[in-house]
């Protein structure tokens, strides 16, 4: 399998770990935040594994938390945050290393509709303005409406694969340019 021009077969476990760290940001439905760390520390955690200095990690984490409306909650631990706030921390953490691919498992599942729309607009912008690939698993038609392409699965098999109006517009633009 080739992803972002890299052949994954034959990679060592260290090479695969580096590939995941540098290439894919994960947004899990269950958040998977470290309970003993603050929001800022949770977001900055991928920078520890990337070997970034603490001041760089904290500045980047603070910028992401501010962008997601969490600037006033940076020093709170997960137990002190609502589900929606925890999800925004998890999203900021996924964006920390600026990965070309972002994978989300119901990334707006714990958010109110206003915050969910903000998050989806941000993900859409990352796709259209920065060329990131966003893969989202969702049962929410509102979330799916942001997609260029919708692939429907049933019992692990593809039952439908279609471009949306967003995808058609993107393909038309690519054809003209």
């Amino acid at each position: 399998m080739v992803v972002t021009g890299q052949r994954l077969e034959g990679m060592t476990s260290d090479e695969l770990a580096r590939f995941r760290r540098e290439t894919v940001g994960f947004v899990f439905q269950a958040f998977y935040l470290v309970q003993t760390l603050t929001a800022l520390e949770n977001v900055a955690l991928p920078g520890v594994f990337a070997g970034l200095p603490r001041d760089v990690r904290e500045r980047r984490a603070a910028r992401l938390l501010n962008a997601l409306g969490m600037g006033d909650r940076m020093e709170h631990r997960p137990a002190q945050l609502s589900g929606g706030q925890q999800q925004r921390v998890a999203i900021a953490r996924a964006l920390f290393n600026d990965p070309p691919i972002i994978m989300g498992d119901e990334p707006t599942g714990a958010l109110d509709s206003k915050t969910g729309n903000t998050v989806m607009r941000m993900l859409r912008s990352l796709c259209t303005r920065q060329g990131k690939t966003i893969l989202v698993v969702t049962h929410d038609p509102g979330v799916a409406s942001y997609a260029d392409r919708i692939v429907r699965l049933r019992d692990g098999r593809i039952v439908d694969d279609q471009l949306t109006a967003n995808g058609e517009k993107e393909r038309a633009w690519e054809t003209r340019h």
Side-chain angles (χ1 to χ4, degrees):
M1 173 185 293
V2 177
V3 179
T4 65
Q6 299 178 68
R7 183 167 294 285
L8 302 183
E9 295 95 8
M11 281 189 176
T12 66
S13 60
D14 286 346
E15 290 169 331
L16 285 169
R18 187 185 74 249
F19 171 82
R20 283 188 300 270
R21 181 183 70 234
E22 296 172 358
T23 309
V24 184
F26 295 94
V27 181
F28 299 102
Q29 185 175 16
F31 317 134
Y32 294 116
L33 300 176
V34 179
Q35 297 299 309
T36 57
L37 299 180
T38 66
L40 183 74
E41 292 165 336
N42 266 287
V43 173
L45 193 57
V48 172
F49 301 112
L52 296 175
R54 183 182 196 145
D55 62 324
V56 172
R57 292 191 314 257
E58 289 180 356
R59 276 196 310 272
R60 189 179 299 174
R63 188 181 73 245
L64 288 163
L65 286 167
N66 279 317
L68 288 166
M70 292 291 296
D72 62 338
R73 297 284 190 254
M74 287 188 209
E75 296 304 319
H76 289 71
R77 297 202 189 312
Q80 298 169 308
L81 301 172
S82 71
Q85 290 169 334
Q86 289 181 57
Q87 185 69 310
R88 286 185 276 170
V89 171
I91 290 166
R93 182 185 55 202
L95 298 174
F96 185 86
N97 282 334
D98 195 27
I101 300 170
I102 300 166
M103 300 178 77
D105 176 12
E106 297 283 2
T108 63
L111 305 177
D112 61 70
S113 60
K114 180 181 176 189
T115 306
N117 286 331
T118 298
V119 166
M120 290 311 299
R121 282 194 306 275
M122 182 184 69
L123 291 175
R124 181 81 204 152
S125 176
L126 290 169
C127 179
T128 58
R129 294 186 183 179
Q130 295 183 25
K132 295 191 183 295
T133 299
I134 313 292
L135 301 170
V136 174
V137 175
T138 187
H139 294 93
D140 183 342
V143 169
S145 72
Y146 286 89
D148 289 339
R149 179 178 175 188
I150 298 174
V151 178
R152 287 186 174 82
L153 303 174
R154 180 173 295 124
D155 299 328
R157 297 196 189 282
I158 296 173
V159 295
D160 189 28
D161 183 353
Q162 64 186 26
L163 287 177
T164 66
N166 292 329
E168 294 292 346
K169 285 184 223 172
E170 184 70 21
R171 301 301 179 274
W173 185 89
E174 288 171 359
T175 303
R176 289 192 309 270
H177 297 89

